[in-house]
Amino acid sequence: MNYEQLAAELGEIRFLMAQITHTSTITNTQRGENFVLSYLAKHQNQAYPKELSKALGVSSARVAAILNQLETKGMIRRQADPTNKRQAIILLLEPGLQQKQKNADHFMAETIPFLQALGPEDAQAYLRIQKKILAYFTEKQT
């Protein structure tokens, strides 16, 4: 098997997929502001900026920009950490929780038809392969 040829083909497929509106719509529900809202919701509606930076894999400056946008929209609030006043903790507010739910609903509305189009067998195979990819990169990260 020629893995170099397969890698080139995968690169071309990913390039073409990035240009399709529906695939970018699904991907965008898991980035930036949307990712932060989901992360907060999964972590008892609060987190430290450093946690967000690590989870997103972006700089603290990028996280600060995202948090500024969310704060302006009234979706989060920064608050001094009661155990360390020099550190801020980010709190998810009700409008942010509502937006997170809208994002999740949108993701499902876009993803279910995609999985249905694959059919039951291929949809399960796709998820199995995605889990394998996740395990590979998770292990590589540690």
Side-chain angles (χ1 to χ4, degrees), residues 78-139:
R78 289 180 173 113
Q79 172 179 303
D81 181 351
T83 61
N84 180 355
K85 300 288 184 197
R86 295 178 297 164
Q87 189 169 343
I89 191 163
I90 309 306
L91 304 174
L92 182 61
L93 302 177
E94 186 58 33
L97 200 52
Q98 290 171 1
Q99 183 61 47
K100 183 260 176 216
Q101 187 57 52
K102 284 182 189 175
N103 296 343
D105 292 345
H106 182 71
F107 175 81
M108 294 300 280
E110 292 289 330
T111 305
I112 290 170
F114 159 70
L115 293 172
Q116 288 172 331
L118 291 177
E121 189 177 309
D122 285 346
Q124 288 177 341
Y126 178 75
L127 291 177
R128 180 184 56 76
I129 292 166
Q130 289 292 308
K131 288 175 186 176
K132 238 179 163 171
I133 292 167
L134 174 64
Y136 170 79
F137 283 111
T138 300
E139 183 179 307

Side-chain angles (χ1 to χ4, degrees), residues 49-64:
K50 283 184 182 181
E51 292 174 61
L52 294 168
S53 179
K54 183 178 178 183
L56 267 168
V58 298
S59 69
S60 57
R62 177 68 184 124
V63 168

Side-chain angles (χ1 to χ4, degrees), residues 3-49:
Y3 287 105
E4 188 173 316
Q5 184 180 356
L6 290 174
E9 188 175 347
L10 177 61
E12 181 63 22
I13 290 167
R14 293 192 72 155
F15 174 77
L16 294 170
M17 291 287 287
Q19 296 175 48
I20 298 172
T21 305
H22 286 297
T23 60
S24 63
T25 300
I26 291 171
T27 303
N28 287 340
T29 62
Q30 300 168 332
R31 290 194 176 146
E33 289 183 17
N34 298 332
F35 179 89
V36 169
L37 295 174
S38 292
Y39 187 92
L40 291 169
K42 289 179 182 179
H43 292 86
Q44 298 160 344
N45 296 337
Q46 62 183 29
Y48 294 102

